[in-house]
Amino acid sequence: LHAADSRHQLSMGIPMALVLCFAASEIVAVLYGPNYAVSAHFLRVLAITNFMWTLISVGFWLSVSLGHQSINFRFSVIQAIILVIVATPLTILYGSTGTLTGVVIAMSVALILYSRYTLRTVSLSLNETFLRTGFSAIVTICVLSILVWQINTFAMGAIFKLLLIMTTTALTFGICVFL
Protein backbone atom coordinates (compact mmCIF):
# COMPACT_ATOMS: atom_id res chain seq x y z
CA LEU A 1 0.00 0.00 0.00
CA HIS A 2 1.40 3.33 -1.04
CA ALA A 3 0.40 6.79 0.10
CA ALA A 4 -0.57 7.61 -3.49
CA ASP A 5 -3.01 4.66 -3.55
CA SER A 6 -4.75 5.91 -0.43
CA ARG A 7 -4.78 9.47 -1.71
CA HIS A 8 -6.37 8.41 -5.00
CA GLN A 9 -9.03 6.37 -3.22
CA LEU A 10 -9.81 9.29 -0.93
CA SER A 11 -9.76 11.67 -3.88
CA MET A 12 -12.70 9.83 -5.41
CA GLY A 13 -14.76 9.32 -2.27
CA ILE A 14 -14.43 12.74 -0.66
CA PRO A 15 -15.89 14.82 -3.52
CA MET A 16 -18.84 12.44 -3.85
CA ALA A 17 -19.58 12.69 -0.13
CA LEU A 18 -19.24 16.48 -0.23
CA VAL A 19 -21.68 16.79 -3.13
CA LEU A 20 -24.18 14.56 -1.31
CA CYS A 21 -23.79 16.60 1.85
CA PHE A 22 -23.90 20.10 0.35
CA ALA A 23 -26.46 19.37 -2.37
CA ALA A 24 -28.76 17.08 -0.38
CA SER A 25 -31.74 19.42 -0.65
CA GLU A 26 -31.29 19.80 -4.39
CA ILE A 27 -30.79 16.06 -4.94
CA VAL A 28 -33.97 15.26 -3.01
CA ALA A 29 -35.89 18.01 -4.83
CA VAL A 30 -34.79 16.77 -8.27
CA LEU A 31 -35.28 13.06 -7.60
CA TYR A 32 -38.32 13.02 -5.30
CA GLY A 33 -39.95 16.44 -5.31
CA PRO A 34 -40.92 18.87 -2.57
CA ASN A 35 -42.93 16.33 -0.56
CA TYR A 36 -39.69 14.67 0.53
CA ALA A 37 -37.70 17.82 1.39
CA VAL A 38 -37.42 16.74 5.06
CA SER A 39 -35.38 13.69 4.05
CA ALA A 40 -32.46 15.88 2.88
CA HIS A 41 -31.20 15.89 6.48
CA PHE A 42 -30.93 12.10 6.40
CA LEU A 43 -29.06 12.20 3.09
CA ARG A 44 -26.53 14.59 4.64
CA VAL A 45 -25.89 12.20 7.54
CA LEU A 46 -25.60 9.26 5.16
CA ALA A 47 -23.10 11.30 3.13
CA ILE A 48 -20.99 11.74 6.27
CA THR A 49 -21.01 7.99 6.93
CA ASN A 50 -20.17 7.42 3.25
CA PHE A 51 -17.17 9.71 3.71
CA MET A 52 -16.17 7.73 6.81
CA TRP A 53 -16.45 4.48 4.86
CA THR A 54 -14.09 5.90 2.23
CA LEU A 55 -11.47 6.26 4.97
CA ILE A 56 -12.35 2.96 6.69
CA SER A 57 -12.13 1.00 3.45
CA VAL A 58 -8.40 1.66 3.17
CA GLY A 59 -7.83 -0.36 6.36
CA PHE A 60 -10.53 -2.89 5.51
CA TRP A 61 -9.01 -3.81 2.15
CA LEU A 62 -5.51 -3.77 3.59
CA SER A 63 -6.56 -6.35 6.18
CA VAL A 64 -8.24 -8.47 3.48
CA SER A 65 -5.17 -8.37 1.26
CA LEU A 66 -2.90 -9.38 4.16
CA GLY A 67 -5.20 -12.20 5.25
CA HIS A 68 -6.08 -10.56 8.57
CA GLN A 69 -9.74 -11.59 8.56
CA SER A 70 -9.78 -11.67 12.36
CA ILE A 71 -9.28 -7.90 12.38
CA ASN A 72 -12.39 -7.36 10.27
CA PHE A 73 -14.35 -9.78 12.44
CA ARG A 74 -13.31 -8.04 15.68
CA PHE A 75 -14.01 -4.57 14.33
CA SER A 76 -17.41 -5.70 13.01
CA VAL A 77 -18.33 -7.17 16.41
CA ILE A 78 -17.31 -3.93 18.12
CA GLN A 79 -19.46 -1.94 15.68
CA ALA A 80 -22.42 -4.28 16.24
CA ILE A 81 -22.11 -3.94 20.01
CA ILE A 82 -22.02 -0.16 19.73
CA LEU A 83 -25.08 -0.20 17.49
CA VAL A 84 -27.00 -2.32 20.00
CA ILE A 85 -25.87 -0.42 23.09
CA VAL A 86 -25.97 3.11 21.66
CA ALA A 87 -28.24 3.18 18.60
CA THR A 88 -31.08 1.12 20.08
CA PRO A 89 -31.76 3.44 23.04
CA LEU A 90 -31.25 6.50 20.83
CA THR A 91 -33.74 5.10 18.33
CA ILE A 92 -36.29 4.50 21.09
CA LEU A 93 -35.81 8.04 22.42
CA TYR A 94 -35.35 10.03 19.20
CA GLY A 95 -36.60 7.86 16.33
CA SER A 96 -34.72 7.92 13.04
CA THR A 97 -32.48 10.79 14.17
CA GLY A 98 -31.34 8.62 17.09
CA THR A 99 -30.64 5.75 14.71
CA LEU A 100 -28.53 7.97 12.48
CA THR A 101 -26.63 9.28 15.51
CA GLY A 102 -25.88 5.71 16.63
CA VAL A 103 -24.66 4.79 13.15
CA VAL A 104 -22.36 7.83 13.04
CA ILE A 105 -20.93 6.88 16.45
CA ALA A 106 -20.33 3.27 15.34
CA MET A 107 -18.71 4.44 12.10
CA SER A 108 -16.52 6.89 14.04
CA VAL A 109 -15.23 4.06 16.23
CA ALA A 110 -14.59 1.93 13.14
CA LEU A 111 -12.72 4.83 11.56
CA ILE A 112 -10.45 5.11 14.60
CA LEU A 113 -9.85 1.34 14.76
CA TYR A 114 -9.10 0.92 11.04
CA SER A 115 -6.92 4.04 10.95
CA ARG A 116 -4.82 2.74 13.85
CA TYR A 117 -4.57 -0.68 12.18
CA THR A 118 -3.52 0.83 8.85
CA LEU A 119 -0.91 3.15 10.30
CA ARG A 120 0.55 0.36 12.45
CA THR A 121 0.57 -2.24 9.68
CA VAL A 122 2.04 -0.17 6.88
CA SER A 123 4.65 2.48 7.28
CA LEU A 124 2.62 5.34 5.90
CA SER A 125 3.34 8.89 6.80
CA LEU A 126 0.28 10.83 7.94
CA ASN A 127 1.57 13.86 6.07
CA GLU A 128 2.18 11.98 2.86
CA THR A 129 -1.09 10.05 3.00
CA PHE A 130 -3.64 12.45 4.39
CA LEU A 131 -2.26 16.00 4.52
CA ARG A 132 -2.90 17.04 0.92
CA THR A 133 -6.24 15.23 0.77
CA GLY A 134 -7.34 16.64 4.13
CA PHE A 135 -6.27 20.15 3.12
CA SER A 136 -8.16 19.76 -0.16
CA ALA A 137 -11.29 18.62 1.69
CA ILE A 138 -11.12 21.57 4.11
CA VAL A 139 -10.66 24.10 1.29
CA THR A 140 -13.53 22.52 -0.66
CA ILE A 141 -15.80 22.56 2.40
CA CYS A 142 -15.05 26.26 2.92
CA VAL A 143 -15.70 27.10 -0.73
CA LEU A 144 -18.92 25.05 -0.78
CA SER A 145 -20.13 26.66 2.46
CA ILE A 146 -19.74 30.12 0.93
CA LEU A 147 -21.27 28.99 -2.37
CA VAL A 148 -24.32 27.37 -0.77
CA TRP A 149 -24.84 30.40 1.48
CA GLN A 150 -24.71 32.66 -1.59
CA ILE A 151 -26.83 30.61 -3.98
CA ASN A 152 -29.56 30.20 -1.38
CA THR A 153 -30.09 33.97 -1.55
CA PHE A 154 -31.02 33.73 -5.24
CA ALA A 155 -34.02 32.10 -6.85
CA MET A 156 -32.45 29.27 -8.87
CA GLY A 157 -33.76 25.92 -9.92
CA ALA A 158 -32.63 22.84 -8.03
CA ILE A 159 -30.95 21.33 -11.10
CA PHE A 160 -28.88 24.48 -11.68
CA LYS A 161 -27.85 24.58 -7.99
CA LEU A 162 -26.93 20.89 -8.10
CA LEU A 163 -24.79 21.36 -11.23
CA LEU A 164 -23.12 24.40 -9.69
CA ILE A 165 -22.29 22.50 -6.49
CA MET A 166 -21.02 19.47 -8.41
CA THR A 167 -18.82 21.56 -10.70
CA THR A 168 -17.42 23.66 -7.85
CA THR A 169 -16.66 20.53 -5.83
CA ALA A 170 -14.84 18.82 -8.70
CA LEU A 171 -12.82 21.89 -9.64
CA THR A 172 -11.90 23.00 -6.11
CA PHE A 173 -10.99 19.57 -4.81
CA GLY A 174 -9.27 18.55 -8.04
CA ILE A 175 -7.12 21.66 -8.19
CA CYS A 176 -6.15 21.39 -4.52
CA VAL A 177 -5.34 17.68 -4.48
CA PHE A 178 -3.57 17.31 -7.82
CA LEU A 179 -1.49 20.47 -7.95
Side-chain angles (χ1 to χ4, degrees):
L1 183 68
H2 294 66
D5 296 334
S6 298
R7 192 170 46 248
H8 289 126
Q9 182 174 2
L10 296 174
S11 296
M12 294 185 320
I14 291 172
M16 286 188 278
L18 290 175
V19 168
L20 286 171
C21 195
F22 280 91
S25 297
E26 290 75 17
I27 292 168
V28 170
V30 169
L31 294 178
Y32 302 108
N35 292 341
Y36 292 92
V38 177
S39 65
H41 166 70
F42 300 108
L43 181 56
R44 282 186 189 93
V45 175
L46 292 173
I48 292 167
T49 58
N50 178 46
F51 170 71
M52 289 177 163
W53 175 249
T54 301
L55 299 171
I56 291 167
S57 66
V58 173
F60 174 83
W61 289 112
L62 174 64
S63 66
V64 168
S65 68
L66 295 176
H68 298 163
Q69 289 82 1
S70 64
I71 293 291
N72 289 327
F73 178 76
R74 279 193 300 232
F75 292 172
S76 294
V77 168
I78 291 169
Q79 277 186 280
I81 290 169
I82 291 169
L83 285 171
V84 170
I85 292 173
V86 175
T88 302
L90 289 175
T91 301
I92 293 167
L93 292 171
Y94 303 106
S96 57
T97 302
T99 303
L100 289 173
T101 303
V103 169
V104 169
I105 291 168
M107 292 292 283
S108 298
V109 170
L111 177 59
I112 291 166
L113 293 172
Y114 275 109
S115 295
R116 281 187 58 194
Y117 168 77
T118 301
L119 292 172
R120 287 182 176 186
T121 305
V122 180
S123 59
L124 291 176
S125 159
L126 279 176
N127 280 349
E128 189 180 344
T129 307
F130 297 111
L131 186 63
R132 179 178 285 179
T133 308
F135 171 77
S136 302
I138 291 168
V139 169
T140 305
I141 289 168
C142 292
V143 169
L144 287 173
S145 296
I146 294 167
L147 175 71
V148 169
W149 174 58
Q150 288 297 315
I151 65 174
N152 285 335
T153 61
F154 298 104
M156 295 183 203
I159 293 175
F160 183 74
K161 285 182 181 180
L162 177 59
L163 290 173
L164 192 57
I165 291 169
M166 289 170 62
T167 303
T168 302
T169 302
L171 288 174
T172 306
F173 192 84
I175 288 169
C176 288
V177 84
F178 292 112
L179 286 182

